[in-house]
Amino acid sequence: MPAVTVELIRTLREQTGAGISDCKKALEDTSGDLDKAAEALRQKGFEQAAKRADRETSHGLIESYIHTGGRVGALVQLGCETDFVARTDEFRALAHDIAMQVAAMSPVYLSEDDKEDGDDRPAAQVCLLQQPFIKDGSRTLADLVRETAAQTGENVRVVHFSRLALGE
């Protein structure tokens, strides 16, 4: 079994944002395989985020995005548990990406649970959280929110969104 070096731990920590002891344990459990350790930490973060899903998200921020030319815009309210997390670069980037998604893809509902009876359009077309991310089609918006929740250690959720467009 290869030795787990400080450099390996540092690299994994930079990639994942996980704690030093968590990085060391993940590397030891995966025999020093960086990719497997990162995936293990990611899964652990998802499990912890699922446990926090019922916590109140009374903090957060409202992000706006106005598309070039000023003809389309979006507002997104993204919630989290503490003001500290709301000020992080990762949280702000997520809010901005979601606002861009809303402006570009014009979702009608937040999730499939909100979809009205009789609306037979595919969820990936009309439900924000089920839409493929415009910057990376292999992930959905729900994946991005879960990843941020796992990174920050808090419950993160899209509270509300709105899209405006001239002529609509």
Side-chain angles (χ1 to χ4, degrees), residues 6 12 62 76 98 130 145 167:
V6 173
L12 183 59
I62 296 173
V76 172
I98 293 172
Q130 279 72 38
V145 171

Side-chain angles (χ1 to χ4, degrees), residues 53-158:
D54 61 343
R55 290 186 183 169
E56 186 177 336
T57 55
S58 59
H59 294 275
L61 61 88
I62 296 173
E63 178 71 22
S64 65
Y65 173 78
I66 307 298
H67 191 64
T68 306
R71 298 185 58 83
V72 176
L75 284 175
V76 172
Q77 181 182 352
L78 189 62
C80 61
E81 296 175 44
T82 65
D83 189 43
F84 173 77
V85 166
R87 291 189 310 255
T88 63
D89 292 339
E90 295 83 9
F91 191 82
R92 289 179 181 272
L94 175 64
H96 185 74
D97 285 343
I98 293 172
M100 282 179 39
Q101 180 86 18
V102 169
M105 300 302 292
S106 190
V108 179
Y109 310 105
L110 178 61
S111 69
E112 204 162 359
D113 296 338
D114 301 327
K115 202 170 163 188
E116 293 177 0
D117 292 338
D119 189 343
D120 56 353
R121 294 177 289 181
Q125 181 182 353
V126 294
C127 300
L128 176 65
L129 295 176
Q130 279 72 38
Q131 289 181 337
F133 181 39
I134 57 175
K135 292 183 177 179
D136 177 3
S138 68
R139 301 185 304 170
T140 65
L141 263 286
D143 294 336
L144 292 178
V145 171
R146 265 195 311 272
E147 288 170 11
T148 303
Q151 270 185 330
T152 62
E154 289 193 7
N155 186 17
V156 174
R157 70 183 183 98
V158 178

